[in-house]
Amino acid sequence: MDKIGWIERATARTQWLGRVYLWKDGTESTQDDARRWVVEGAPDGALVLAGSQTKGRGRLCRTWFSPPRENLYLTILIRIPLSAPLGFLGLFIAVQSCRGLRQSLNLPLMIKWPNDLFGMGRKAGGILIEVIQERGDLWALVGIGINVNVTEDEFPLDLRDTVTSLRILNGAPVDRGLVLEAILLGIEEGWENWTKGLLEPFIRVFNELDYLKGRRIEVVLPDRTVLKGTAEGISAGGQLILRCDDGLRHYLSAGEASVRR
């Protein structure tokens, strides 16, 4: 397995995440590569990273813009402990990734429910969780895509009003190794609390960094019902709290939220 300098630097300080990794210059999807590797015997905490993807995907089966050599495309292979609250994994990863990037790189990132990373009102990164049963254990494939060094004119025209990159937010190029290191160390820092179900610290940080909180939003539910109202943060159970125009509060576990303009 070839060693990649910026990945080696990024994982030098981790305890268990990324101690083994698979790098591909180009691939269809790191999620699919990770799924195959788990079947073949990948260790807990391994990473799959790619220089580019041709079939990168996000939540709701959306495609993910994945140009070469610019961004961070990875999947973390995590064996889920029996005690861990699996339903909170996406929230936990979003909180610790955002927190790590803010602290390490001083980036003005926030979290858009349920687990997108936003900067200056635009999407900078996304998280995709897929769960599989393999080798007698439950595994989570934690896909993370971060727009690191794409410039505004490199984004497709239909995305420019809704996406951004760390380079744009920072005003200068950003080292992908530092981005990867911040995410991995953030996850490791909160790992023990998450596995024990000690979720209050993550809920509190989410509410502090909640991009939607206080905004007028529209939520499309899985059955295509549309709700409109004001976002009031998330509950102790991780649900989006939506106060509708009729005064009723809804606690939503799933849906696609957008800011009403």
Side-chain angles (χ1 to χ4, degrees):
M1 186 180 299
D2 293 337
K3 293 184 177 181
I4 308 298
W6 62 270
I7 302 175
E8 293 293 306
R9 294 194 305 273
T11 57
R13 294 173 54 204
T14 62
Q15 298 178 16
W16 60 283
L17 285 177
R19 307 310 292 180
V20 176
Y21 68 85
L22 173 65
W23 166 261
K24 292 198 166 187
D25 289 326
T27 189
E28 289 189 346
S29 165
T30 60
Q31 291 289 98
D32 295 339
D33 294 332
R35 184 183 298 269
R36 286 189 290 268
W37 197 11
V38 169
V39 173
E40 294 167 359
D44 186 21
L47 308 181
V48 178
L49 306 101
S52 65
Q53 298 181 115
T54 57
K55 295 183 179 179
R57 62 183 181 272
R59 291 179 57 246
L60 306 178
C61 298
R62 292 194 176 107
T63 57
W64 185 265
F65 177 59
S66 307
R69 298 179 299 279
E70 300 277 10
N71 299 329
L72 186 63
Y73 317 115
L74 76 147
T75 298
I76 308 172
L77 289 63
I78 297 179
R79 186 168 54 230
I80 304 298
L82 293 177
S83 61
L86 181 58
F88 279 83
L89 180 57
L91 183 149
F92 162 68
I93 297 293
V95 165
Q96 293 304 106
S97 297
C98 186
R99 196 177 188 180
L101 289 168
R102 286 173 64 95
Q103 291 175 348
S104 297
L105 298 172
N106 197 31
L107 292 165
L109 291 172
M110 303 185 78
I111 308 169
K112 176 180 170 290
W113 181 86
N115 52 24
D116 286 337
L117 302 185
F118 262 51
M120 305 300 289
R122 298 181 180 186
K123 185 171 180 176
I127 295 164
L128 173 66
I129 307 290
E130 296 178 326
V131 178
I132 62 173
Q133 185 83 35
E134 191 61 49
R135 290 153 43 196
D137 290 308
L138 202 61
W139 291 77
L141 311 180
V142 180
I144 301 176
I146 306 289
N147 298 328
V148 181
N149 282 315
V150 181
T151 59
E152 188 164 0
D153 59 0
E154 289 178 300
F155 282 117
L157 287 174
D158 62 332
L159 293 179
R160 291 181 188 177
D161 290 338
T162 58
V163 299
T164 189
S165 71
L166 304 189
R167 177 175 183 162
I168 294 170
L169 297 173
N170 188 52
V174 177
D175 186 331
R176 282 186 296 176
L178 295 180
V179 175
L180 177 60
E181 179 185 64
I183 291 171
L184 297 181
L185 291 179
I187 293 171
E188 285 193 344
E189 180 185 359
W191 181 256
E192 185 173 353
N193 278 345
W194 175 73
T195 58
K196 293 180 178 178
L198 302 176
L199 304 175
E200 191 278 332
F202 308 120
I203 299 293
R204 184 180 67 252
V205 173
F206 193 111
N207 277 308
E208 291 171 355
L209 302 177
D210 188 349
Y211 169 70
L212 295 178
K213 192 172 184 179
R215 299 180 187 271
R216 298 276 297 165
I217 67 171
E218 177 178 290
V219 183
V220 180
L221 304 182
D223 66 0
R224 310 312 297 172
T225 299
V226 177
L227 299 177
K228 298 178 181 179
T230 301
E232 295 188 335
I234 64 168
S235 69
Q239 297 126 325
L240 173 67
I241 305 172
L242 179 69
R243 179 169 55 81
C244 288
D245 297 337
D246 59 8
L248 293 178
R249 281 189 175 85
H250 295 262
Y251 292 76
L252 306 176
S253 298
E256 183 66 13
S258 58
V259 174
R260 295 173 65 185
R261 304 199 181 272

